[in-house]
Amino acid sequence: MGDAAGIGPEIIVRMLAAGLPHPTVVYGDIGILQSAARQFGSSGRLIFHGYSDMQAAIRAKDERKDDGNTVHVAVLSRRAPLPSGLQPGRLDAAAGRAAYDYLCHAIDDAQAGLLRGIVTAPLNKAAMQAGGIDFPGHTEILAERTGTSDYAMMLANDELRVILVTIHVALASVSSLITRESELRTIRLAHLACLQAGIQNPRIAVAGLNPHAGEDGKFGREDIDIIAPAIAQARAEGMDVSGPWPGDTIFMRARRGEFDIVVAQYHDQGLIPVKYLGVDHGVNVTIGLPFIRTSVDHGTAFDIAGQGIADPSSLRAAFDLALAMSVAPASETNSLPRGQN
């Protein structure tokens, strides 16, 4: 559910009310979701059922019968309900801690093979840290809790796929984190991401770190001494990868169809081009986890939370991409029936 004080509850109930093509549960606070459904006109369409774990939801599935006008939603939480009176748009430590707890619950169920994938609504880093959780974002929580060391963030929309070598670090620290190993690891993950998306022979482009990819060493030697050798190694492993290309033109070339994915060196280099094209259909994907995780390409939007104007398009795009990139878990034959949300 993400941060309860943000737009997560609103976009979730809007998406659920529109109907989904696959069994779905929500990890979150049933009271918050019920309130959101009432506020945004979906209370007659959505009926929420609270459970402490997935097995309890599965056991109760026969009690939930859709009649064409209503959608039954299983809400999972193993923590106490959030306090009443939570104000949309205001930073709240309890909401920040709860967002972390919901995510951990979902991760544990995915690790147990109970989920096909996880789709995350936005959390607020400041609220989470106020709640005693010191992580920069979803990605790092997912990696630590699953014990994943080789992972990367990919942003995707209908026109671009971009994967990052470094993620949430200060710009002054980026250069020291650019190594042959980190470059090669990210190129391999780019290859994997494309395969998971159904691209059989991915064309991977690597953006340079420095202006003009270093201009033959005039603007720094990282592109020559670190990035280029990693690309050569990836080619030796059989991958179709090229670069380093100047960062000011590579995204335009990828958008024209020359490449299937771009490896960007740092957060803003890669995310600005994707988000400039619009966040409505952008999706954040964590590559390298033992399950599929997708997310919206926007934040908690405290400035519009509770106003009824949040757009669920990015959340639906994240849901659809999670289905497209994942395979059904072994437990699916015992899970919630199709059409039962």
Side-chain angles (χ1 to χ4, degrees), residues 103-189:
L103 177 60
C104 290
H105 191 173
I107 292 169
D108 294 346
D109 281 356
Q111 288 276 75
L114 297 172
L115 302 176
R116 179 164 171 165
I118 297 175
V119 182
T120 56
L123 55 75
N124 183 281
K125 298 177 181 64
M128 188 172 64
Q129 289 167 356
I133 305 300
D134 190 18
F135 280 94
H138 279 110
T139 304
E140 294 79 6
I141 299 169
L142 285 151
E144 181 180 275
R145 197 165 184 88
T146 60
T148 301
S149 57
D150 292 343
Y151 64 93
M153 177 191 292
M154 180 180 78
L155 270 289
N157 57 29
D158 292 340
E159 299 181 74
L160 280 176
R161 292 181 193 86
V162 177
I163 194 167
L164 304 179
V165 178
T166 64
I167 306 177
H168 297 121
V169 297
L171 189 58
S173 302
V174 168
S175 180
S176 65
L177 297 173
I178 300 298
T179 65
R180 292 191 190 187
E181 292 74 20
S182 64
E183 292 292 324
L184 185 58
R185 178 176 64 247
T186 309
I187 293 169
R188 289 168 176 158
L189 290 169

Side-chain angles (χ1 to χ4, degrees), residues 24-65:
T24 306
V25 299
V26 180
Y27 291 79
D29 187 283
I30 189 170
I32 294 292
L33 291 167
Q34 288 171 330
S35 176
R38 288 192 298 269
Q39 183 177 359
F40 305 119
S42 300
S43 58
R45 170 74 168 152
L46 302 176
I47 300 176
F48 296 94
H49 305 269
Y51 304 97
S52 60
D53 59 71
M54 180 70 82
Q55 296 301 337
I58 292 171
R59 287 193 298 270
K61 68 178 185 289
D62 292 334
E63 301 173 7
R64 301 187 298 272
K65 300 294 184 182

Side-chain angles (χ1 to χ4, degrees), residues 155-157 274 278-284 295-298 314-315 317-318:
L155 270 289
N157 57 29
V274 177
V279 299
D280 290 352
H281 297 283
V283 180
N284 181 341
S295 184
V296 295
D297 186 21
H298 57 72
S314 182
L315 184 65

Side-chain angles (χ1 to χ4, degrees), residues 3-25:
D3 193 298
I7 62 172
E10 178 183 348
I11 60 177
I12 287 171
V13 299
R14 289 189 185 280
M15 183 180 73
L16 290 171
L20 295 173
H22 196 83
T24 306
V25 299

Side-chain angles (χ1 to χ4, degrees), residues 178-215:
I178 300 298
T179 65
R180 292 191 190 187
E181 292 74 20
S182 64
E183 292 292 324
L184 185 58
R185 178 176 64 247
T186 309
I187 293 169
R188 289 168 176 158
L189 290 169
H191 186 80
L192 171 63
C194 289
L195 293 178
Q196 289 177 327
I199 301 169
Q200 296 303 311
N201 299 294
R203 299 164 300 165
I204 304 167
V206 180
L209 173 65
N210 298 299
H212 303 173
E215 193 75 50

